[in-house]
């Protein structure tokens, strides 16, 4: 039996992960589940999966869960806070840790799992964007294994030759092509973008996801974060990572070789495919995803992304090129701006404005020291919040 801890189990990726696990009760066992404040959601999952541990980041929610668990007579131990998250990320009973917390909040628990030498099923791209070099060095040092859950990176991983960790040139890879659906506003007139609502931004044409990543898909910051993620995961530079719009979301990404060969991974847009792939790798297991009906798909379209329509994508390329802690600033400012768009009436088109101004204001800090990265993240949030207040 393979023990699995699911960080962020009540979210979109967490639920899909438990769906895959439930299909293979002879193969996987849930060791720990975690959530922020969704007490009812986590309690239901505890009743169903009987984990050894359940963690709620919010201490009051943890007290509530503790009462429910005792009342139901479950043996699950309840922990709270970041300490609880870090503790269950390191448990010897779990070989695999699904990192599916959203945002930089997932950084410390994910790093704890890395340091414990786990197989990391990495959905939480923000953790890697914030701490890239440090994260990958820790993976190496502690003998951890990172398998990408992001559908694009999982596709690239499937198309990569072995030995890519020694550099793409050495294994004959010319470039990585990340596909992007373009989100709900690919064809919206640019002057109308100013007035789009959170509900419209979260209505993704092909994928059902959490609200933060849905907005990121609408601004294409999601693809920007993914370019940075690809640079770290595949040991390459942004010049070798291209983005193409592919509205059908059937080709999940491609790898181009020196001889002109281009390998792609295709499938229905359902996150259970990359999740099952990463959990079972190098084997293959059922994920619950049906066959791809290419007759139904009929067309595969491609177009270049416009940086005028999607300025966030350009900002992400600039941040990874600037290096150091610039991606951490980009990410923090984006988290603040997206939350303000969702909850405080910040205009959609002001999201890149907040990020640009925060990046301009912040001195370039070192990206190799965890304390500096955490300070930079906190400082960037304070500045981004001030800039946001000026814009709402
Ligand atoms: P979601 O909002 O649906 O779920 C987030 C989970 O994290 C929930 O369980 C929530 O309780 C927990 N959480 C939130 N804030 C927390 C905090 N401060 N401390 C501890 N736990 C916290 O998000 P999602 O769509 O499942 O995305 C999760 C991650 O996976 C993100 O990094 C996202 O970019 C990435 N991802 C998601 C998809 C997708 O299809 N949803 C695809 C690729 C990558
Ligand atoms: Mg993705």
């Amino acid at each position: 039996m393979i023990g699995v801890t699911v960080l962020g189990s009540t979210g979109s990726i967490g639920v899909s992960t438990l769906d895959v696990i439930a299909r293979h009760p002879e193969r996987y066992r849930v060791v720990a589940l975690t959530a922020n404040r969704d007490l009812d959601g986590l309690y239901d999952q505890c009743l169903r999966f009987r984990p050894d541990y359940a963690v709620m980041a919010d201490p009051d929610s943890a007290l509530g869960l503790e009462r429910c668990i005792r009342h139901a007579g479950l043996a699950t131990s309840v922990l709270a806070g970041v300490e609880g998250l870090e503790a269950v990320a390191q448990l010897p009973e779990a070989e695999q840790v699904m990192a599916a917390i959203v945002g930089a909040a997932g950084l410390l628990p994910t790093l704890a799992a890395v340091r414990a030498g786990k197989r990391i099923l990495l959905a939480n791209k923000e953790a890697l964007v914030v701490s890239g070099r440090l994260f990958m060095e820790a993976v190496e040092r502690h003998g951890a294994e990172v398998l990408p859950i992001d559908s694009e990176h999982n596709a690239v991983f499937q198309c990569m030759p072995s030995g890519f960790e020694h550099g793409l040139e050495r294994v004959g890879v010319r470039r990585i092509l990340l596909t992007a659906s373009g989100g709900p506003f690919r064809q919206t007139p640019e002057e109308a973008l100013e007035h789009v609502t959170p509900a419209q931004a979260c209505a993704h044409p092909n994928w059902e996801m959490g609200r933060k990543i849905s907005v990121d898909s609408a601004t294409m910051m999601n693809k920007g974060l993914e370019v940075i993620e690809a640079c770290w995961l595949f040991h390459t530079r942004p010049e070798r990572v291209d983005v193409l719009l592919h509205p059908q979301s059937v080709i999940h990404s491609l790898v181009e070789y020196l001889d002109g060969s281009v390998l792609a991974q295709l499938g229905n847009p359902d996150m259970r495919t990359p999740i099952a792939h990463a959990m079972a790798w190098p084997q293959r297991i059922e994920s619950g995803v049906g066959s791809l009906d290419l007759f139904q798909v009929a067309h595969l379209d491609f177009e270049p992304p416009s940086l005028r329509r999607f300025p966030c994508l350009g900002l992400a390329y600039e941040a990874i090129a600037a290096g150091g802690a610039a991606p951490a600033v980009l990410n923090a400012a984006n988290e603040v701006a997206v939350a303000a768009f969702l909850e405080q009436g910040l205009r959609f088109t002001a999201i890149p404005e907040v990020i640009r101004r925060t990046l301009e204001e912040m001195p370039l800090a070192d990206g190799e020291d965890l304390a500096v990265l955490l300070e930079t993240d906190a400082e960037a949030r304070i500045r981004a919040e001030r800039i946001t207040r000026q814009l709402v």
Side-chain angles (χ1 to χ4, degrees):
M1 288 286 258
I2 298 171
V4 186
T5 282
V6 185
L7 302 173
S9 61
T10 55
S12 159
I13 292 287
V15 168
S16 293
T17 305
L18 291 176
D19 183 278
V20 172
I21 289 175
R23 289 166 195 277
H24 302 279
E26 70 308 328
R27 188 178 172 114
Y28 299 107
R29 185 177 84 82
V30 175
V31 174
L33 296 174
T34 86
N36 190 21
R37 324 195 129 91
D38 180 4
L39 198 165
D40 294 344
L42 192 56
Y43 177 56
D44 284 348
Q45 292 182 341
C46 287
L47 287 175
R48 178 143 184 243
F49 290 94
R50 313 260 158 165
D52 301 343
Y53 297 87
V55 187
M56 304 221 66
D58 174 55
D60 288 339
S61 306
L63 285 176
L65 181 68
E66 170 83 41
R67 275 195 293 276
C68 296
I69 296 268
R70 295 292 80 85
H71 190 71
L74 295 185
T76 303
S77 306
V78 177
L79 307 177
V82 184
E83 302 74 28
L85 296 171
E86 288 183 310
V88 297
Q90 306 174 53
L91 292 169
E93 306 89 294
E95 285 107 297
Q96 303 193 357
V97 175
M98 166 55 77
I101 292 173
V102 60
L107 175 61
L108 293 176
T110 306
L111 276 179
V114 169
R115 290 182 179 134
K118 305 297 184 194
R119 172 177 289 197
I120 315 293
L121 311 166
L122 185 70
N124 182 206
K125 65 192 87 185
E126 296 93 342
L128 188 58
V129 166
V130 170
S131 70
R133 183 178 309 282
L134 183 134
F135 188 106
M136 294 309 288
E137 280 173 5
V139 166
E140 176 92 347
R141 184 161 352 108
H142 298 281
E145 198 179 20
V146 188
L147 288 164
I149 296 299
D150 221 341
S151 56
E152 297 76 3
H153 306 73
N154 185 270
V156 170
F157 181 83
Q158 294 197 44
C159 299
M160 275 286 171
S162 59
F164 69 81
E165 59 279 9
H166 306 300
L168 297 192
E169 289 82 354
R170 290 178 56 179
V171 289
V173 170
R174 191 186 276 155
R175 62 179 178 141
I176 291 170
L177 293 108
L178 297 182
T179 52
S181 70
F185 305 138
R186 186 173 56 90
Q187 294 173 313
T188 306
E190 279 179 42
E191 58 283 3
L193 289 177
E194 185 153 359
H195 306 293
V196 299
T197 64
Q200 290 170 320
C202 290
H204 195 280
N206 307 337
W207 300 93
E208 277 207 40
M209 309 181 286
R211 278 161 71 77
K212 190 263 179 183
I213 184 175
S214 296
V215 177
D216 285 350
S217 299
T219 62
M220 279 192 81
M221 178 54 92
N222 183 48
K223 212 50 53 179
L225 298 175
E226 289 183 359
V227 168
I228 300 174
E229 183 185 12
C231 289
W232 292 116
L233 285 176
F234 301 113
H235 309 270
T236 191
R237 300 184 306 279
E239 306 84 79
R240 290 189 182 266
V241 184
D242 288 341
V243 170
L244 55 144
L245 292 185
H246 163 48
Q248 290 89 358
S249 298
V250 164
I251 297 186
H252 297 307
S253 278
L254 315 90
V255 174
E256 182 184 304
Y257 286 76
L258 287 177
D259 60 9
S261 299
V262 179
L263 301 192
Q265 185 258 1
L266 288 72
N268 287 320
D270 187 320
M271 291 305 292
R272 291 176 301 176
T273 294
I275 290 167
H277 170 267
M279 288 182 70
W281 186 83
Q283 296 175 340
R284 296 273 180 175
I285 55 170
E286 279 281 349
S287 66
V289 178
S291 295
L292 175 64
D293 184 346
L294 282 169
F295 296 118
Q296 177 84 34
V297 174
H299 298 280
L300 297 173
D301 296 315
F302 306 97
E303 52 188 90
S306 150
L307 292 187
R308 233 189 52 191
R309 177 184 289 274
F310 299 114
C312 285
L313 181 58
L315 289 168
Y317 270 103
E318 285 169 30
I320 183 74
V329 175
L330 174 94
N331 177 70
N334 181 56
E335 286 191 30
V336 169
V338 170
F341 168 68
L342 286 172
E343 286 144 33
Q344 294 151 30
L346 183 75
R347 281 172 298 114
F348 182 76
T349 44
I351 295 174
E353 190 57 31
V354 170
I355 301 165
R356 184 192 315 282
R357 284 172 56 180
T358 310
L359 278 164
E360 280 167 7
E361 272 194 17
M362 289 282 292
L364 189 58
D366 171 29
E368 276 147 65
D369 184 283
L370 184 59
V372 174
L373 285 170
L374 294 175
E375 256 169 52
T376 303
D377 171 85
E379 171 77 25
R381 280 169 204 269
I382 292 170
R383 292 185 190 233
E385 276 160 13
R386 181 175 38 70
I387 295 166
T388 299
R389 281 196 296 277
Q390 292 164 2
L391 292 174
V392 275

